[in-house]
Amino acid sequence: MTNYTLSVFTTNTVGLLNRITIIFTRRRLNIESLTVSETERLGVSRFTIVIRNENRDVVEKLVRQIRKVTDVLAVYGYLDDEIIYNEVALFKLATPLGGEPIDVKTINLDWNAKVVHWGLEYVVVEKNGTGDELGEFYNYLKKWEILEYIKSGRIAVGKTEKGLVEFLPEGNWEIV
């Protein structure tokens, strides 16, 4: 299966997420991750959607269908090598008295992660990276009791010289 990352630029409109995700439901496509945020343009939001599919034609049809949705300004589809992407994960680890101490030096230097909260009973560690990197780090942390684990969806920027919002339809866009 191939990963595709869709960047969908929209106006910030109530119900738009539902109108976009229903397209995936109708086509029986699973969304692997979904992140929505504002952009550097006032009033423009960006959906970053990751799907896995073997058939590029299916993905291209999906992109064309999303472009037809009212309030969608632009849609771009990318393979992993065409973008720079990352995810963030938080791990809450138990630190009971007498338990194995957390190796902060290894976490910081070898894994490029950081402890963001020290509690009496637990610590919270933050790690940025690709899904594979986060999975490897998760496996490393299994030697401690993982109380909670959460991972964000993918965020991505294109490897093009210009930002993707530069390719939006003409308009009087205010920079945030």
Side-chain angles (χ1 to χ4, degrees), residues 22-152:
I22 198 116
I23 295 169
F24 290 84
T25 304
R26 284 185 193 140
R27 294 182 178 278
R28 297 192 176 280
L29 293 171
N30 188 45
I31 295 174
E32 298 295 323
S33 84
L34 168 67
T35 305
V36 182
S37 71
E38 58 187 16
T39 67
E40 64 273 21
R41 300 288 173 95
L42 191 62
V44 176
S45 295
R46 179 181 187 155
F47 290 64
T48 303
I49 304 169
V50 178
I51 61 171
R52 288 190 184 135
N53 202 292
E54 294 174 356
N55 189 336
R56 185 178 180 101
D57 290 337
V58 168
V59 177
E60 289 175 357
K61 286 178 186 175
L62 176 71
V63 167
R64 286 194 298 273
Q65 197 69 34
I66 294 171
R67 283 185 179 137
K68 294 178 183 177
V69 174
T70 306
D71 299 318
V72 169
L73 304 170
V75 182
Y76 304 100
Y78 298 96
L79 296 169
D80 284 354
D81 64 345
E82 298 171 323
I83 54 174
I84 300 162
Y85 58 93
N86 242 338
E87 299 174 9
V88 63
L90 295 175
F91 303 85
K92 185 191 269 186
L93 306 174
T95 56
L97 271 134
E100 185 173 344
I102 304 292
D103 186 356
V104 177
K105 184 177 179 183
T106 299
I107 287 172
N108 286 344
L109 298 177
D110 295 348
W111 290 98
N112 198 25
K114 61 184 175 182
V115 175
V116 294
H117 178 79
W118 287 95
L120 293 175
E121 306 280 328
Y122 65 91
V123 297
V124 177
V125 178
E126 177 184 301
K127 167 84 175 123
N128 298 308
T130 65
D132 291 341
E133 292 168 346
L134 296 176
E136 290 172 18
F137 188 58
Y138 181 93
N139 287 331
Y140 166 74
L141 293 178
K142 282 184 180 178
K143 63 175 92 173
W144 296 281
E145 182 184 358
I146 299 173
L147 300 172
E148 289 185 61
Y149 165 68
I150 183 134
K151 182 176 76 160
S152 73

Side-chain angles (χ1 to χ4, degrees), residues 9 37-46 157 162-168 173-176:
F9 293 91
S37 71
E38 58 187 16
T39 67
E40 64 273 21
R41 300 288 173 95
L42 191 62
V44 176
S45 295
R46 179 181 187 155
V157 294
K162 293 182 177 183
L164 289 176
V165 292
E166 298 297 323
F167 300 104
L168 288 178
W173 301 110
E174 185 177 334
I175 305 297
V176 177

